[in-house]
Structure formats: structure tokens, C-alpha cells
Amino acid sequence: MGKRETARNPRTPKKTSSAAKAQARPARRPAAARTETPYHHGALREALLRAAERVLERDGLAGLTLRAVAREAGVSHAAPTHHFGDLTGLLSELAAVGFRQFNAAMASACDAATTPLERALARPKAYVAYAQAHPGMYGIMFRTERLDYSRPSLHEAAEASFAGLANAIGMMRQEQISEDALTLTQGAAIARAWSMVHGFTMLLLDGRLEDILGRLPEGTTAERLLEAMLTAPITGKPTGP
């Protein structure tokens, strides 16, 4: 009896030691699982879009890659591909976010206006202000060749933006404008307003208005210049007989 116990005793510590080591050593997980743990599926998608916006505003379109977005979000390199397919998919979803932000900014500005003149100026001023605050996002929203408008989110957000513009022009013309069928004069009014504000915005972002602003009375801002453009009559002063 004693001999059998003595023979078993040397093996007992080994079993105990192995079990203790196994319990002390945490199970290994793939790197992707470790990095993506803080996000569930929907939250990870939104986190990737926020990361893409940061990369775009900081590094420009040239620096916006799937790997750069993954690094910014702190997730595996495969995560953006899983959620957006390719870079075009990511850019398209990011542009949809931009259009929604853009539309919300203009709607909020219009809601805050209290006079007819303020309402007329609210939308274009908010348009320019959004572009100044988010030049990267504004730029990608109009890079049609880099986007896939068959994606529902982008199509719907862009259509909502056009609808807001058409409604604003309709209010100024005091008529109902159908988004699906425009008269020539309605189309011309929409195109004129959009061309003026978009062109002004691009010149402003590119620094091409500095020369004009430098020649104006001291203290004249780009916003004041825009207001003067929007409130000036379309035709010049009538010439004498």
C-alpha cells in the first residue's frame, strides 16, 4: 500500500502543474477578432465611415485607401472590404454620408431663417459653409467618376439634395416644381442657381477669389460677396437711349 502510494506521488505534481499552466495561459484569438471586439456589425460599419472621413479630410482623396481606413479605425485590413466591397463602394457610401450632412445643414439653416430674404440666402450660404468646413467630403460628393450611383444610399441622398434645391427654386418662383418633369424655364432657374453657388464654392476652396476679395472694401468677406451676387439683378443697368 505504501509502496503504491509512493510510486504514484511523483506523477501527481506533474498533472497539477500542467493544469495550472493551461488555466493561467489565455486562449489565443486571431488578430482580427481581437481588434474588432469593441464593435458589433453595424457599429463597425459606422466606425469605418467615420475613419474614412477623417482620412479624407486629413490626407485627401489620394490618401484614402481601404488599408488606410482600416488602420485609422484600428481593425483588420479585411474589414473595409467585408463591409463595402472595394474602394468605389467605400467612397460611394462616404459620399452618401456627405450628402445627408449637407442636406441637414441646409434644412437647418432654412428653418432658422425668419424673413423672406434670410430664407432666400439661407440655403446657398449653408451650402458654401458646409464645403468650407468639410472640403474633402464636399469634393468627393461631386466626383461622379469615382462613385457608384446604383447604391441605394447614395442615390437617395443625392436625390434628396436635388429635391431641396428644386423646392427652394419653386418657393422663389412661387410655383410648384415637379422633380420628374421640369419646364425649360424651371430647369434654367435650377441650373443657374446651382451653377452660381457651386462655381463660387469651388473658386473659394481653390483660393481663386482672393484677388477679387483683395480689391474690395476692407473687411468684405466671401459671405458678403456671395450675398451681393445672389441679390444683384440678373441683367446689368439699362443703357441710355
Side-chain angles (χ1 to χ4, degrees):
M1 183 78 174
K3 289 182 179 180
R4 284 198 297 270
E5 288 176 356
T6 302
R8 286 197 300 267
N9 283 342
R11 292 196 297 269
T12 302
K14 292 183 180 180
K15 291 181 181 179
T16 303
S17 177
S18 299
K21 288 180 180 180
Q23 291 176 358
R25 188 189 308 117
R28 292 184 178 180
R29 291 178 295 169
R34 288 199 303 273
T35 55
E36 295 180 16
T37 297
Y39 305 105
H40 60 72
H41 184 84
L44 176 55
R45 184 181 187 280
E46 295 306 311
L48 288 168
L49 287 171
R50 289 194 298 271
E53 183 175 356
R54 291 194 299 272
V55 173
L56 178 62
E57 297 294 355
R58 183 183 66 231
D59 304 327
L61 183 57
L64 183 59
T65 65
L66 295 177
R67 282 181 172 268
V69 170
R71 284 195 301 270
E72 182 73 20
V75 298
S76 74
H77 290 161
T81 302
H82 174 71
H83 284 275
F84 306 107
D86 56 15
L87 185 57
T88 296
L90 173 62
L91 293 178
S92 300
E93 294 301 324
L94 189 59
V97 171
F99 272 113
R100 288 194 290 269
Q101 294 174 349
F102 186 59
N103 298 340
M106 288 187 286
S108 177
C110 290
D111 290 343
T114 57
T115 68
L117 179 59
E118 285 181 353
R119 280 191 290 274
L121 296 175
R123 185 179 181 86
K125 288 170 70 172
Y127 186 114
V128 175
Y130 177 83
Q132 287 182 291
H134 309 279
M137 289 288 276
Y138 180 80
I140 193 60
M141 287 158 54
F142 295 98
R143 290 293 298 271
T144 306
E145 79 282 2
R146 301 295 302 270
L147 306 177
D148 177 8
Y149 275 87
S150 69
R151 297 179 79 97
S153 57
L154 177 57
H155 178 76
E156 291 169 9
E159 284 293 304
S161 183
F162 180 79
L165 173 59
N167 290 338
I169 297 301
M171 290 178 63
M172 292 176 63
R173 292 170 58 88
Q174 297 183 336
E175 64 179 333
Q176 184 70 32
I177 293 183
S178 169
E179 300 162 31
D180 299 322
L182 302 172
T183 67
L184 179 58
T185 55
Q186 289 172 343
I190 292 171
R192 180 171 56 245
W194 191 5
S195 298
M196 180 183 292
V197 179
H198 182 69
F200 179 91
T201 301
M202 295 305 296
L203 290 171
L204 182 63
L205 293 180
D206 290 342
R208 302 299 297 273
L209 292 178
E210 293 300 323
D211 184 57
I212 293 177
L213 289 169
R215 298 166 189 256
L216 295 176
E218 187 176 353
T220 302
T221 63
E223 181 177 308
R224 181 69 189 91
L225 177 60
L226 176 64
E227 289 180 4
M229 288 172 55
L230 295 171
T231 56
I234 295 174
T235 58
K237 292 181 179 179
T239 57

